Amino acid sequence: MTTAVLIQLGASLVAVLFIAWLVGRMGLGADPRIADDAHAIRLADEAETGFGGVEVARDRAGFAAIVRNAEGRMLLIRAHGNHFAARPVDAGVEGRLDKDFLTLRMPERTFGAVTLHLGKEAGVWASRMRSVAHG
C-alpha cells in the first residue's frame, strides 16, 4: 500500500468514528423506553403540568403506558422517535381488547394506533376506557 492510500484509510476511519460519536452524543438512534411507573408519571406531568398521575398501565416492552390521575382522566404516553408523545384518552379514542393486549386508536390518525401488552390488566383498563366513553 502506498502512503497516500494509508493516509486516506486513516482519515476515513477517523471520520467514521467521529460521526458515530456525534450520533451517540445527539441521542439519535436511541431506543426510548418507559422504565417504570414513576417514569411514566413523570412523562405525563411533563406533557400536562400538574396531571398528577396515580396509577399506570405500562406496556411490557416499555414502549407505551396509560397514566390515570385521581380525577379518573387518562393520558396515553408512547415512544415517538427519540422522545415521548402524550395524548388524552377520552371518548374519541377507540379501544380494542384482545386477550392480554389493549389497542388504542386516537382520533388524530397521524398519532397511529398503539398496542399495549398489559397482561391480565388489559381488561381492567379496557373497562376504564368504556367508563370514560360513557361518562
Side-chain angles (χ1 to χ4, degrees):
M1 282 191 177
T2 67
T3 304
V5 171
L6 288 174
I7 290 172
Q8 183 178 9
L9 181 62
S12 294
L13 180 60
V14 167
V16 167
L17 291 174
F18 174 74
I19 290 171
W21 173 81
L22 186 61
V23 165
R25 192 85 169 122
M26 294 173 64
L28 301 176
D31 187 18
R33 305 273 177 123
I34 300 170
D36 54 26
D37 290 1
H39 186 207
I41 288 171
R42 191 171 62 251
L43 290 169
D45 282 336
E46 288 174 9
E48 185 178 315
T49 304
F51 183 75
V54 295
E55 190 174 12
V56 175
R58 190 173 62 90
D59 173 62
R60 298 268 167 100
F63 290 118
I66 303 169
V67 181
R68 187 179 66 81
N69 70 7
E71 299 165 356
R73 293 181 45 243
M74 295 184 281
L75 281 179
L76 172 65
I77 312 290
R78 70 171 281 194
H80 183 74
N82 293 350
H83 305 286
F84 294 94
R87 297 294 185 274
V89 177
D90 55 24
V93 176
E94 298 172 26
R96 185 174 53 95
L97 177 63
D98 183 15
K99 297 180 184 172
D100 293 347
F101 297 88
L102 179 60
T103 301
L104 305 180
R105 188 175 313 277
M106 310 310 276
E108 176 189 345
R109 296 295 178 208
T110 56
F111 192 75
V114 178
T115 300
L116 297 98
H117 183 196
L118 302 177
K120 62 185 178 199
E121 292 295 308
V124 172
W125 286 87
S127 176
R128 288 180 179 157
M129 284 188 57
R130 280 192 294 279
S131 68
V132 167
H134 300 306

